[in-house]
Amino acid sequence: MNNYLDLSIEEINKLLKEKQILPLDLVEEAFERIEKSNLNAFITLDKENAIKQAKELEEKCVDNILFGIPVAIKDNIVTKGLRTTAASHILDDFNPIYDAEVVRKIKDNHMIIIGKTNMDEFAMGSTGETSYFGNTLNPWNNEVVPGGSSAGSAAAVSSRLVPIALGTDTGGSIRQPSGFCGIVGLKPTYGRVSRYGLIAFASSLDQIGPMTRNVKENAYMLNLISGRDDKDLTSSREEVKDYTSLIGKDVKGLKVAVPKFYMSETIDVKVREKIENVINILKKSGVEVDYIDMKYVSNAVPLYQVIALGEASSNLARYDGVKYGYVTDNYNDIEELYKMTRYEGFGREVKRRLMIGSYILSGKNADKYYRKALVVRKKLTDEFKEVFKKYDLIIGPINTNVAYPFGTVQNDALKTFTDDLLTIPVNMAGLPAMSLPVGFSSDLPVGMHIIGNYFKEEVIYQLGSFIEKELNLNLDPRGDK
């Protein structure tokens, strides 16, 4: 078997331009790898259409860096004519009649969609364990979780089934699995990427972003999917930059903050050591690094529980068995139709979150909880804005420890609580942030969090690419190829 998919995007692009390989070679190799894989990274594959598209591209000019590159799409991003389930029984036969805006851009730029990746049901989970279609496995160790909710996308990129995948991030769902699987995952600034065609979880938090093998390929993908979309009124009119523009530039003079909260005793000592190692490298390279206090960060998880679950209960009210999706046979009247469809169609974790969310929004509780949470959210956001008046970036660990065995979360609710405290503040403030591999502990990847100011993704990539080059890690879980 050829190993074209182990090459960099630039190397593949050169071979395509020189006609030494064809897009079909890449597609066939991707499907060969998927068929041999045991990771359960995909829910639905699109082999026939992918091969058809690859053959059509043979007649076209290679017009951009991502031309002909196989890509995987998280299964809560709608794809016209290709089953989109959000990993839920309630949508397991849903065939959308339109493409999400990011999917349209992917097709217009002649990338080739291989299939839809496995995930936590409706993106509700941080381990990949709540999918109706079974767990995704971590390529580094099949006994530990891959992270979630973008579990399949992280596993597919990490194990080199595809070079690039799309994920979504509501409270860390791109960054946590990227950290656990040893890849680069970016949550863009809220509004940087259109949410049109994203199956909503929490509309004020959700954001689509790229998951890749390295920093530069992540920037290439963000270039492709960014921009204003009139079909999503929350998308920004901010100019789309070339996010590769600062990659390779000197980092001397950058100012970086490390919240003390992010380096507390709750973080495993070996994880802290990896972050401290990076901090030492940065200081030697002329980067100013300061430890700072942040007052409102510790409120992030309760805020998330109120805001995200309230919004989820509203967004998921549409799944009632009337217009589309699963319909129960077990009903006598309209009320029973709603109740039994949702009872049978949703998984346990989704039902738990919807019950909490419905309570939060009911009657006087909306004022008591939801509106109060919005006030505290603004204070947290303002605190971040104050930090960014003085600093270019914020760094810390992405998870409290490396990936843990399946079933751990059910036995230790505090575990996810402390992990979520590291990622959720970014969603609350709408900031861009990236997970970057910075080493290993117990033969599992350790991820570092790089948080940037609004619409300053290129600065995140600047620092990330510098660290990546300095560390020069082998991030292929397959070992010797």
Side-chain angles (χ1 to χ4, degrees), residues 10 46 71 98 109 128 161 178 180 217 253 311 359 366:
E10 286 98 339
D46 198 21
V71 60
Y98 70 100
N109 285 276
L161 304 181
S178 295
F180 282 164
E217 292 175 5
E311 291 180 11
Y359 175 78

Short mmCIF file of all heavy atoms in Angstrom, two decimals, residues 10 46 71 98 109 128 161 178 180 217 253 311 359 366:
data_model
loop_
_atom_site.label_atom_id
_atom_site.label_comp_id
_atom_site.label_asym_id
_atom_site.label_seq_id
_atom_site.Cartn_x
_atom_site.Cartn_y
_atom_site.Cartn_z
N GLU A 10 1.78 19.99 1.83
CA GLU A 10 2.60 20.60 0.77
C GLU A 10 3.18 19.54 -0.17
O GLU A 10 3.19 19.72 -1.39
CB GLU A 10 3.75 21.42 1.36
CG GLU A 10 3.33 22.73 1.97
CD GLU A 10 3.16 22.63 3.48
OE1 GLU A 10 2.99 21.49 3.98
OE2 GLU A 10 3.20 23.68 4.13
N ASP A 46 -18.71 7.56 2.75
CA ASP A 46 -19.29 7.99 1.47
C ASP A 46 -18.36 7.59 0.33
O ASP A 46 -17.94 8.41 -0.49
CB ASP A 46 -19.51 9.51 1.49
CG ASP A 46 -20.48 9.97 0.41
OD1 ASP A 46 -21.28 9.13 -0.08
OD2 ASP A 46 -20.43 11.15 0.03
N VAL A 71 -11.02 14.59 3.57
CA VAL A 71 -11.40 15.25 4.82
C VAL A 71 -12.58 14.51 5.45
O VAL A 71 -13.43 13.96 4.74
CB VAL A 71 -11.75 16.74 4.57
CG1 VAL A 71 -12.91 16.89 3.60
CG2 VAL A 71 -12.04 17.49 5.86
N TYR A 98 -29.60 19.82 2.35
CA TYR A 98 -28.70 20.93 2.03
C TYR A 98 -27.37 20.69 2.72
O TYR A 98 -27.25 19.85 3.62
CB TYR A 98 -29.30 22.27 2.47
CG TYR A 98 -29.39 22.47 3.97
CD1 TYR A 98 -28.44 23.23 4.65
CD2 TYR A 98 -30.42 21.89 4.71
CE1 TYR A 98 -28.52 23.41 6.02
CE2 TYR A 98 -30.50 22.07 6.08
CZ TYR A 98 -29.55 22.82 6.73
OH TYR A 98 -29.62 23.00 8.10
N ASN A 109 -13.75 24.06 -2.86
CA ASN A 109 -12.29 24.05 -2.92
C ASN A 109 -11.72 22.66 -3.25
O ASN A 109 -10.53 22.42 -3.11
CB ASN A 109 -11.71 24.57 -1.61
CG ASN A 109 -11.83 26.08 -1.49
OD1 ASN A 109 -11.01 26.82 -2.01
ND2 ASN A 109 -12.89 26.53 -0.83
N GLY A 128 -16.39 10.57 24.26
CA GLY A 128 -16.75 9.73 23.11
C GLY A 128 -17.59 8.54 23.48
O GLY A 128 -17.89 7.69 22.64
N LEU A 161 -5.92 8.22 9.29
CA LEU A 161 -6.94 7.75 8.34
C LEU A 161 -7.24 8.85 7.34
O LEU A 161 -7.49 8.59 6.16
CB LEU A 161 -8.22 7.36 9.08
CG LEU A 161 -8.09 6.30 10.19
CD1 LEU A 161 -9.45 6.00 10.81
CD2 LEU A 161 -7.46 5.02 9.64
N SER A 178 -8.36 16.49 20.96
CA SER A 178 -7.07 16.75 20.30
C SER A 178 -5.93 16.53 21.29
O SER A 178 -4.90 15.95 20.94
CB SER A 178 -7.04 18.19 19.76
OG SER A 178 -7.99 18.37 18.73
N PHE A 180 -5.98 14.55 23.99
CA PHE A 180 -5.89 13.13 24.31
C PHE A 180 -5.32 12.29 23.16
O PHE A 180 -4.77 11.22 23.39
CB PHE A 180 -7.27 12.58 24.70
CG PHE A 180 -7.71 12.91 26.10
CD1 PHE A 180 -9.03 12.76 26.48
CD2 PHE A 180 -6.81 13.36 27.05
CE1 PHE A 180 -9.45 13.06 27.77
CE2 PHE A 180 -7.20 13.66 28.35
CZ PHE A 180 -8.53 13.50 28.71
N GLU A 217 -1.07 22.96 8.79
CA GLU A 217 -2.23 22.38 8.10
C GLU A 217 -3.52 22.85 8.75
O GLU A 217 -4.55 23.00 8.08
CB GLU A 217 -2.10 20.85 8.07
CG GLU A 217 -0.94 20.42 7.17
CD GLU A 217 -0.66 18.93 7.17
OE1 GLU A 217 -1.42 18.16 7.80
OE2 GLU A 217 0.33 18.52 6.52
N GLY A 253 9.65 38.77 22.09
CA GLY A 253 8.84 39.96 22.35
C GLY A 253 7.37 39.67 22.61
O GLY A 253 6.64 40.54 23.10
N GLU A 311 -29.83 26.37 26.74
CA GLU A 311 -29.92 26.52 25.28
C GLU A 311 -30.17 25.18 24.60
O GLU A 311 -30.90 25.10 23.61
CB GLU A 311 -28.64 27.18 24.76
CG GLU A 311 -28.51 28.64 25.18
CD GLU A 311 -27.24 29.32 24.67
OE1 GLU A 311 -26.55 28.72 23.82
OE2 GLU A 311 -26.97 30.44 25.12
N TYR A 359 -35.54 22.64 33.32
CA TYR A 359 -35.77 23.20 34.66
C TYR A 359 -35.22 24.63 34.73
O TYR A 359 -35.87 25.54 35.26
CB TYR A 359 -35.11 22.31 35.72
CG TYR A 359 -35.20 22.87 37.12
CD1 TYR A 359 -36.39 22.77 37.85
CD2 TYR A 359 -34.12 23.53 37.70
CE1 TYR A 359 -36.49 23.30 39.13
CE2 TYR A 359 -34.21 24.06 38.98
CZ TYR A 359 -35.40 23.94 39.68
OH TYR A 359 -35.49 24.48 40.95
N ALA A 366 -35.74 31.07 34.88
CA ALA A 366 -35.00 31.74 33.81
C ALA A 366 -34.31 32.99 34.34
O ALA A 366 -33.16 33.27 34.01
CB ALA A 366 -35.94 32.10 32.66
#
